[in-house]
């Protein structure tokens, strides 16, 4: 049956506009999460290259951590993933929600 098959794309478009395949994703043992790597993992999940569960298991992430990356990209794009700017972007977003 077709619905039982796990059909995935060969690649998705990455955060910088380049094709992104499974072998292009950050290594599973990644410890230092820079903005580009976070954005690549989010793009892979959004494009169907990985499921959320697979991404969390592969990279040792919690569902909440991954969801925070997705929210940051939705709200502020890639700059929203910068750890040093989280508070600034959070304040800007909350201000926009009030008006």
């Amino acid at each position: 049956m077709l619905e039982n098959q796990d059909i995935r794309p060969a690649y998705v478009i990455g955060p910088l506009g380049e094709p992104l395949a499974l072998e292009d994703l950050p290594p599973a043992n990644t410890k230092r999460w820079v903005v580009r790597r976070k954005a690549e993992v989010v793009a892979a999940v959004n494009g169907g290259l990985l499921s959320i569960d697979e991404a969390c298991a592969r990279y040792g992430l919690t569902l909440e951590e991954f969801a925070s990356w997705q929210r940051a990209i939705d709200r502020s794009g890639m700059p929203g993933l910068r750890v040093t700017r989280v508070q600034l972007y959070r304040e800007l977003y909350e201000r926009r929600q009030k008006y």
Side-chain angles (χ1 to χ4, degrees):
M1 293 285 229
L2 192 57
E3 66 261 19
N4 291 335
Q5 293 180 349
D6 190 18
I7 300 174
R8 295 175 187 244
Y11 68 91
V12 297
I13 301 302
L16 302 176
E18 78 290 357
L20 187 64
L22 275 175
E23 58 271 6
D24 301 322
L25 292 175
N29 62 351
T30 298
K31 298 292 181 219
R32 187 167 180 270
W33 285 100
V34 296
V35 170
R36 181 186 49 81
R37 290 182 188 140
K38 292 177 186 179
E40 286 174 345
V41 173
V42 171
V45 170
N46 289 343
L49 203 56
L50 285 176
S51 71
I52 292 176
D53 293 334
E54 290 170 331
C56 289
R58 179 176 177 157
Y59 296 111
L61 305 171
T62 64
L63 188 56
E64 292 78 18
E65 185 174 19
F66 180 80
S68 74
W69 293 358
Q70 281 187 316
R71 275 193 309 275
I73 287 176
D74 290 345
R75 290 178 179 175
S76 307
M78 283 181 60
L81 291 170
R82 291 183 60 200
V83 174
T84 57
R85 305 296 285 185
V86 169
Q87 186 64 38
L88 171 70
Y89 287 115
R90 183 180 302 131
E91 290 170 2
L92 288 173
Y93 178 76
E94 288 171 355
R95 251 187 273 147
R96 266 190 272 154
Q97 293 297 89
K98 289 180 184 177
Y99 302 106

